[in-house]
Amino acid sequence: MVVKRAHSEADVEALSKKFREDWSEGQVIRSWLRRHGEELRNLVRHEDWAWVNIGRALSQAGIQFKTGKSWTGENLRRAVDLAMKPKAARASKSQAPFTAPAPASPPVLSSPPSSPPPPRPSGEPEFRIIQRKER
């Protein structure tokens, strides 16, 4: 894991203020993340921000799900990745019901034995115990 620079509270608050200016109450989070996804990724890739610090800034700005749960680095990264995927890919992964693929050919059924197996001698176990060969 790459170690990112530790940002001060002032840095996080400045980023939070920047996010707050572009956020309106009641806005759909996934749409906001889609619009700002590249900016958030560039903060991580080029400006040495950690996802956890970006998550702290988003939480301070009030940009979070209705549950009120604060962002962690991992759930923010996943939310951005999901928001940035094309709509068809998002739907196929998270919203489409699972359907089993149809078999290519009908299964081959074995025929029943023509005669039952011979009866076991009395005292013999139902299964034979297999012994390992010594090497």
Side-chain angles (χ1 to χ4, degrees):
M1 183 168 122
V2 176
V3 178
K4 299 290 184 175
R5 180 169 64 92
H7 287 82
S8 66
E9 273 303 311
D11 293 336
V12 173
E13 182 56 42
L15 187 61
S16 174
K17 182 181 177 196
K18 180 182 172 188
F19 290 154
R20 201 175 299 120
E21 291 171 354
D22 194 35
W23 171 257
S24 57
E25 194 63 35
Q27 193 172 359
V28 178
I29 291 177
R30 186 167 284 164
S31 299
W32 191 92
L33 291 174
R34 188 174 307 115
R35 276 198 328 273
H36 293 84
E38 280 307 314
E39 175 187 356
L40 298 175
R41 286 177 174 173
N42 284 333
L43 286 171
V44 172
R45 291 178 187 149
H46 304 296
E47 297 183 32
D48 231 17
W49 279 84
W51 283 110
V52 68
N53 288 333
I54 296 172
R56 285 178 35 220
L58 287 171
S59 295
Q60 286 179 7
I63 302 171
Q64 52 194 15
F65 289 104
K66 290 179 184 176
T67 61
K69 184 178 173 186
S70 295
W71 291 104
T72 65
E74 184 61 20
N75 70 9
L76 175 59
R77 184 192 61 77
R78 287 182 182 189
V80 170
D81 286 347
L82 184 62
M84 297 299 290
K85 282 185 179 178
K87 192 170 185 175
R90 287 194 316 266
S92 68
K93 189 99 174 174
S94 62
Q95 298 167 357
F98 176 76
T99 55
S105 61
V108 177
L109 301 175
S110 61
S111 60
S114 56
S115 63
R120 272 191 339 255
S122 63
E124 187 175 306
E126 187 172 345
F127 298 99
R128 259 188 316 154
I129 298 174
I130 299 174
Q131 295 181 356
R132 291 180 133 188
K133 293 181 180 179
E134 295 294 324
R135 290 185 181 198

